[in-house]
Amino acid sequence: MSNILVVGPSLKLGGVERASSNIANAFAAHGHHITFLALFPQSHFFKLQPGVNFVEPLNGLNAKRLNIFKTIGWVRKQASHLKPDVVLVFGYFYSAVTRLALAGLKIPVFASDRASPLFKWPIHVHLFNHMVFTLFPPAGLIAQTGQAAEKQRAYFKKRTRINVIPNALRQVQLHPDLTRQKTVLAVGRLTDHLKGFDRLIEAFAKIGNQDWLLVFAGGDTDGGHLKKQARELGIYDRVRFLGKVKDLDRVLAGAGIFVIPSRSEGYPNALCEAMAAGLPCIAFDFVAGPRDIITHNHDGLIVENGNTNALAATIDYLIENPAERERLGKNAMEISERLNLDKIGGQYLSFILNTDNGKQIESKN
């Protein structure tokens, strides 16, 4: 079995943190020796398996912000001590920091890119990433979607191996005792412009049906700007804001239709969870994710990006066709098997434990 070092920001609540801790646990379940190296000493929301070694900075390092030069030295010191066979880093910038830290140590470093292909780094971070990966390209890069992989292939050319591996799906609790209500559900941070909730409100104002409600589950604010929009469009009495929800799975189980109107995503986990809950789902054709996740008209529906008239018509179509909602929702539940943590973890292992010539990396231990 291999000695694998997984590098992530921390174990606090967050998307990258969840993905990195999940994969570390999956690796451990496959019998490998795993160390999780956190770059920030932050709160521990996610739990690691008892057999996973956990290391985080001490003495105030990165307590407020990442000290890039001290972090490079600290990561190099930890890797020299741990002697991993391979390193997997979650986050493009963190991958560049780690790759520079391990330059010359002959330890393969794999990067897991989490950002949307449309995301633009601040210029100083972009220049740092470019400098590091020009001098020291990673042994391989894992993209979450096909569109993200295309962008990375255009950048790296043939200097690194690139593979598409989606996020593992958390276990979504089903609630067969609940009855689906006449609600269109959207989930996410209300202040995030990229979530496109304003586009959903615009589309909802255009639907013909007046009996269904539009429901938002997301707790960063009270959604004041969205409430204002709903009032201006005359639909405020048919829009609900749940704020923070302690049990999202119950909300998913009681909804009638799920819509993700995002402008851009790294990987739309909320869509995957809604599908796992058996919801008929509609997605704008944004960058990136829906076409990697939904097979149109089999387990969901994809609408031209930004076309609120088409979105309104599609919502009306599902409202008026309960049998179609049931068919799409039933097929959507297949995603739980497709994105099973053990399966996704196995795909990661298959990629990072093979060198360019296809021979498995041999453990030094």
Side-chain angles (χ1 to χ4, degrees):
M1 291 295 151
S2 296
N3 179 11
I4 304 174
L5 177 62
V6 176
V7 181
S10 70
L11 294 178
K12 75 171 186 177
L13 181 62
V16 179
E17 292 82 358
R18 177 174 62 179
S20 55
S21 59
N22 277 345
I23 291 300
N25 287 334
F27 288 176
H30 279 259
H32 297 279
H33 179 73
I34 308 301
T35 297
F36 188 101
L37 188 69
L39 297 179
F40 297 90
Q42 296 173 327
S43 59
H44 298 173
F45 179 84
F46 295 106
K47 298 184 182 300
L48 297 171
Q49 296 297 326
V52 177
N53 181 34
F54 178 73
V55 179
E56 65 182 347
L58 300 174
N59 303 318
L61 176 61
N62 298 341
K64 294 184 178 179
R65 57 181 297 180
L66 187 128
N67 184 316
I68 189 167
F69 296 107
K70 289 185 178 181
T71 299
I72 287 170
W74 180 73
V75 170
R76 188 178 182 89
K77 179 180 179 180
Q78 297 300 321
S80 299
H81 170 70
L82 294 166
K83 296 180 170 57
D85 301 310
V86 63
V87 177
L88 172 65
V89 191
F90 283 78
Y92 196 77
F93 170 62
Y94 301 142
S95 296
V97 171
T98 303
R99 183 66 188 91
L100 182 58
L102 303 188
L105 295 186
K106 297 182 179 180
I107 302 172
V109 176
F110 288 80
S112 178
D113 182 23
R114 317 304 298 174
S116 162
L118 300 181
F119 178 76
K120 293 187 182 300
W121 292 99
I123 186 63
H124 65 288
V125 178
H126 169 74
L127 291 174
F128 175 81
N129 293 340
H130 179 69
M131 177 197 72
V132 172
F133 287 140
T134 297
L135 296 172
F136 311 108
L141 184 140
I142 297 167
Q144 298 176 104
T145 66
Q147 288 169 304
E150 288 176 8
K151 177 183 177 182
Q152 296 299 345
R153 289 190 182 104
Y155 175 76
F156 283 104
K157 309 299 183 185
K158 296 183 178 181
R159 294 183 297 126
T160 192
R161 298 159 53 211
I162 295 174
N163 197 10
V164 178
I165 304 177
N167 270 355
L169 177 67
R170 71 173 179 85
Q171 185 175 357
V172 175
Q173 182 67 43
L174 302 179
H175 293 276
D177 56 308
L178 296 181
T179 301
R180 295 205 175 277
Q181 304 298 311
K182 294 181 178 181
T183 57
V184 175
L185 175 67
V187 175
R189 297 184 303 276
L190 302 182
T191 54
D192 190 344
H193 177 69
L194 293 179
K195 294 299 180 184
F197 293 145
D198 57 310
R199 308 201 293 181
L200 176 54
I201 289 177
E202 180 182 338
F204 192 76
K206 297 176 180 179
I207 70 171
N209 185 284
Q210 301 295 302
D211 296 329
W212 282 52
L213 300 178
L214 174 59
V215 177
F216 291 97
D220 51 347
T221 70
D222 66 355
H225 63 297
L226 298 176
K227 290 178 180 178
K228 179 181 178 182
Q229 182 188 12
R231 288 191 185 96
E232 291 173 349
L233 293 174
I235 60 168
Y236 183 72
D237 61 334
R238 294 192 289 124
V239 182
R240 302 289 183 270
F241 294 87
L242 302 183
K244 289 184 178 181
V245 292
K246 293 183 178 180
D247 192 346
L248 178 60
D249 292 352
R250 290 189 68 87
V251 176
L252 293 171
I257 297 170
F258 181 87
V259 177
I260 182 165
S262 299
R263 291 179 168 88
S264 175
E265 294 272 355
Y267 191 84
N269 291 303
L271 171 61
C272 299
E273 292 173 5
M275 293 173 69
L279 268 168
C281 295
I282 306 170
F284 270 143
D285 193 11
F286 57 82
V287 178
R291 291 199 175 275
D292 292 78
I293 295 168
I294 291 176
T295 299
H296 179 67
N297 206 36
H298 170 69
D299 52 13
L301 299 173
I302 298 177
V303 176
E304 179 186 4
N305 191 25
N307 189 335
T308 56
N309 290 329
L311 179 56
T314 304
I315 293 172
D316 263 332
Y317 169 74
L318 288 185
I319 287 176
E320 295 164 5
N321 292 275
E324 187 68 355
R325 297 201 304 271
E326 183 176 358
R327 180 186 73 85
L328 291 172
K330 181 178 180 181
N331 290 341
M333 297 179 75
E334 297 169 359
I335 199 171
S336 294
E337 175 59 27
R338 195 163 82 239
L339 300 185
N340 174 272
L341 176 58
D342 183 68
K343 181 178 291 186
I344 298 300
Q347 292 178 24
Y348 267 84
L349 286 171
S350 178
F351 185 62
I352 71 173
L353 294 184
N354 285 274
T355 59
D356 288 331
N357 61 12
K359 294 182 180 179
Q360 186 172 10
I361 294 173
E362 296 180 359
S363 173
K364 303 183 187 73
N365 299 326

